[in-house]
Amino acid sequence: GKTGTTTSTKKSAENQVIRKGWLTTSTVSMLRGGSKEYWFVLTAQTLAWYKDDTEEDQKYLLRVESLKQREMDSGFMSFSKKHVIVIFNPSAKNLFKEHKQLDLSDDDTEIMESWKAAFVRAGIYPERVYDDGEDTAVLSASVDPQMERQVEVIRSLVDSYMEIVNKTIRDQVPKAVMHLLVYKVKNFISTDLLPSLYTSNMDLMEESQAEVQRREELLRMYHSAKEALTIISDIGKKTTSTPLPPPVQNSIMVDTPRRPTLEHSDAPSRPARPSTRKPPPAMRPAPPKPGHPTPPSRPPRPT
């Protein structure tokens, strides 16, 4: 029972996916004259790449045992600002097919640093560069691959734990600030500050004289404007207007002929007839007295 459990646990640990994602490689497509993106899947024992992220069309499966990694400058491709990690076999054997190394690159530095740490967790350690005079035998003897793998696993677990702690702190600190600071200040204002202000003799809530004058002036202006609007509306209601008569057409005055009057007529005037009516008694001439001559009568006035 224990042997079967240990075997299944070991197989699950070997098949555990450490990291997966898109990477650009120029090793596979170097003969075709360019680089190509593949979907890489890294486990504790293998490194595989596929055509796409469905992981159906597998291009190659590479065992990561005894492999190394190193960073490489992009060389003549330096203008592209790509960060390159080279996977190779330190025994100078072919890594896969006829290729001695696998070049992996990406434009994002953080992604490449994450892949570098994932390779270390899978047992692909960086290449060590020894200085002159160092004993390479002592250095190689002091490095235990099993211990290095355990150290990297512990480091990864610590990093994951710190990320959880950091996320928890970011979530809890604002809530603690609201609970300890804002709510307590609110309760202090409502329970202590306002009652003390109301019971104090300070005239904090009294209106100033300037505000009183300003308010009264605005009220007077308001009532005056309201009264003026009332007067204007009354004038508009009581005022009546008579429309003007239509204008006289000049054509009627021009076309109508004038009748000649007697003053402007060229016909000869008739002589006035003498009046045959007798004047009233008051206007009749008195009879002549004896001994006085009779005055001549006036000729009648022409009419």
Side-chain angles (χ1 to χ4, degrees), residues 163-191:
E163 288 181 0
I164 294 173
V165 171
N166 190 12
K167 183 178 179 181
T168 305
I169 292 297
R170 288 200 305 266
D171 182 61
Q172 294 294 331
V173 165
K175 296 178 181 178
V177 170
M178 287 291 295
H179 179 71
L180 299 176
L181 183 62
V182 177
Y183 288 158
K184 286 191 175 181
V185 170
K186 181 180 177 182
N187 293 332
F188 170 75
I189 291 174
S190 59
T191 57

Side-chain angles (χ1 to χ4, degrees), residues 13-25:
E14 290 178 357
N15 296 328
Q16 180 184 2
V17 177
I18 299 176
R19 183 176 174 80
K20 58 174 62 177
W22 291 98
L23 286 175
T24 304
T25 177

Side-chain angles (χ1 to χ4, degrees), residues 190-222:
S190 59
T191 57
D192 298 335
L193 183 59
L194 289 178
S196 62
L197 289 177
Y198 289 142
T199 56
S200 63
N201 296 325
M202 294 184 297
D203 299 334
L204 297 177
M205 308 300 293
E206 185 178 356
E207 191 176 11
S208 63
Q209 294 295 328
E211 290 297 327
V212 172
Q213 294 178 1
R214 184 172 178 273
R215 177 166 50 82
E216 292 178 354
E217 183 179 356
L218 291 176
L219 286 174
R220 286 196 299 270
M221 292 175 61
Y222 169 74

Side-chain angles (χ1 to χ4, degrees), residues 30 73-80:
M30 182 66 72
D73 191 6
S74 55
F76 66 94
M77 295 291 291
S78 59
F79 62 89
S80 62

